[in-house]
Amino acid sequence: MSTATTLNMNIEKTKKSKLPQVDFNNLPFGQTFSDHMFVCDYKDGKWQTPQIIPYQNISLDPAAKIFHYGQSVFEGMKAYKDEKDQIWLFRPLENQKRINISSERLAMPAFPENYFMEGLETLLKIEKDWIPQTPGSSLYIRPFIFATGAGLHASPSTEYKFMIACAPSGAYFAGNVKVLIEEKYSRSANGGVGFAKAGGNYAGQFYPTQLAVEKGYHQVIWTDDNTHEFIEEAGAMNIFVRIGDTLITSPTSDRILDGITRKSILKIAEDEGIPVEVRKFTVSELTEASKNGTLKEMFGAGTAAVISPISLFGHRGKDYELPEIENSYAARFKKRITDIQYNRSEDKFGWRYLVK
């Protein structure tokens, strides 16, 4: 069946849904995909007619520049369903803006806001039954853009593909996380692409993280590329620490992603009167606070996990355990954010977005 939207969007629905095969009580993160996907091609200097088609493989020329020069950026979002069967998004325009910021850094064309939002909303309405309602679950949404133009000349592509795929998913991390402070490898550098959600940023993280996993940790804490003295990010997440009653996080820069969950936490902390310092802080400050008992919490923040408490960090052969505390900032922030996301509480910030 084909219909059209105000965008002249072509819609082809699947002839047989995969939905009956899905166990919504056992959803590994990002491994099961819904029936449809959104696709839009860029060629001849403009974005073409958007499409929603059955989820399927795509075909690319072996000389497509994504394979050779890595022009690829993405976003991570979630859709939630409340008790009234309404569909909600969380600050989606922030994702729309950020994917274009990332695209610009990689010399890729911006994707229009109306294409992004109407394409996403139309897809979600078609895939409504794929949004799980089991506790802690959601429909993970992956918008991404990559170079499809063929050629081996080291230059930007002239053709691209924008896509949105959806995956009903459970929790990203289970339990507390053990991390290793990285002092050899770097996630990003001044003047680089660390602030962009570029695929290559994540590829470069895998090897150091693998080494940390072999030592018994789950993730790495990234430090600055120059001195390795300053704490920057936690794996693929922004990092927060609580020393005494003060919440501390690194400032964003061209090395650090401007996380949407990060921004939300800072706003909630301000609303709750929690002292906040957005500043550089050192590994030595962290270890000293652990030794003298003032380090109360560490946690990562990002769309996939929302908030992941850190139970231990390793540094130069020594492990530092975090205390277990009641009424932690991590638990408070996670509850405030998820209550807004699932339409369980007031949204005084205007972050919740209803898909009508």
Side-chain angles (χ1 to χ4, degrees), residues 42 47 71 99-100 103-104 107-111 145 157 159-160:
Y42 181 91
W47 290 101
Q71 280 184 291
I99 200 168
N100 284 337
S103 294
E104 181 181 26
M108 300 165 66
F111 194 67
I145 310 175
S157 177
E159 297 184 1
Y160 299 87

Side-chain angles (χ1 to χ4, degrees), residues 164-175:
I164 302 176
C166 300
S169 299
Y172 189 69
F173 286 120

Side-chain angles (χ1 to χ4, degrees), residues 258-293:
D258 187 11
I260 295 165
T261 306
R262 173 188 179 275
K263 288 192 282 194
S264 304
I265 288 170
L266 292 175
K267 191 66 178 178
I268 291 169
E270 177 187 344
D271 183 62
E272 295 195 4
I274 294 172
V276 174
E277 294 179 3
V278 180
R279 62 170 175 83
K280 293 183 176 181
F281 62 101
T282 62
V283 176
S284 59
E285 182 180 359
L286 193 66
T287 56
E288 183 58 34
S290 179
K291 291 174 184 176
N292 65 31

Side-chain angles (χ1 to χ4, degrees), residues 141-163:
I141 303 165
R142 173 52 60 89
F144 56 108
I145 310 175
F146 58 95
T148 56
L152 300 182
H153 187 272
S155 59
S157 177
T158 57
E159 297 184 1
Y160 299 87
K161 189 180 291 289
F162 176 94
M163 300 181 67

Side-chain angles (χ1 to χ4, degrees), residues 166-232:
C166 300
S169 299
Y172 189 69
F173 286 120
N176 291 342
V177 179
K178 297 178 181 179
V179 297
L180 177 66
I181 294 177
E182 179 57 55
E183 293 191 286
K184 178 180 179 180
Y185 298 100
S186 298
R187 177 188 172 276
S188 59
N190 288 328
V193 297
F195 68 91
K197 283 189 75 72
N201 288 347
Y202 296 79
Q205 294 184 35
F206 294 156
Y207 178 66
T209 302
Q210 179 181 307
L211 296 179
V213 169
E214 290 171 359
K215 296 177 182 178
Y217 302 93
H218 300 105
Q219 272 290 355
V220 297
I221 294 288
W222 298 107
T223 53
D224 69 287
D225 64 300
N226 186 25
T227 66
H228 293 291
E229 294 178 2
F230 295 95
I231 300 290
E232 296 209 326

Side-chain angles (χ1 to χ4, degrees), residues 6 66 95 99 122 154 211 308 310 326:
T6 57
I66 177 58
N95 297 98
I99 200 168
T122 305
L211 296 179
S308 289
I310 293 170
E326 295 183 1

Side-chain angles (χ1 to χ4, degrees), residues 82-95:
D82 65 16
E83 294 179 351
K84 298 178 181 178
D85 214 37
Q86 298 178 112
I87 302 171
W88 298 93
L89 294 167
F90 184 72
R91 309 187 74 174
L93 290 175
E94 294 291 332
N95 297 98

